[in-house]
Amino acid sequence: MRNALVRGRPRETDDGRLLVPTSVVEPMGSGRPGDALRVIRGTKRATARYLAPRDLPRPRVQWAAFRALARSA
């Protein structure tokens, strides 16, 4: 699993909008499996902390919509 958070500023160009990066945050640490598990567990806990006081159910992932989006890309 690899991902990164890119922060930046949007800029208008002749072709549309462009993101001009100002920083990149790599949340997975060293890329070891333990780092990925730690992020996943932390995210699940943060989600539970957000949903519980609002009495909201955990949303279901719309896998069919994601697959359709991936196919169209």
Side-chain angles (χ1 to χ4, degrees):
M1 179 187 305
R2 298 197 184 257
N3 65 25
L5 168 67
V6 178
R7 293 182 180 162
R9 301 196 187 283
R11 185 175 61 169
E12 293 289 334
T13 68
D14 292 339
D15 295 325
R17 290 189 178 170
L18 174 71
L19 178 69
V20 179
T22 57
S23 66
V24 176
V25 179
E26 297 183 42
M28 288 302 195
S30 67
R32 294 177 298 201
D35 293 338
L37 288 174
R38 189 170 25 262
V39 169
I40 291 168
R41 287 183 184 135
T43 302
K44 286 182 82 168
R45 283 192 297 268
T47 301
R49 283 192 308 269
Y50 177 86
L51 295 173
R54 293 163 177 84
D55 199 28
L56 295 172
R58 182 179 294 272
R60 297 187 64 94
V61 176
Q62 298 176 10
W63 291 113
F66 281 115
R67 288 185 190 105
L69 182 62
R71 279 192 300 272
S72 70

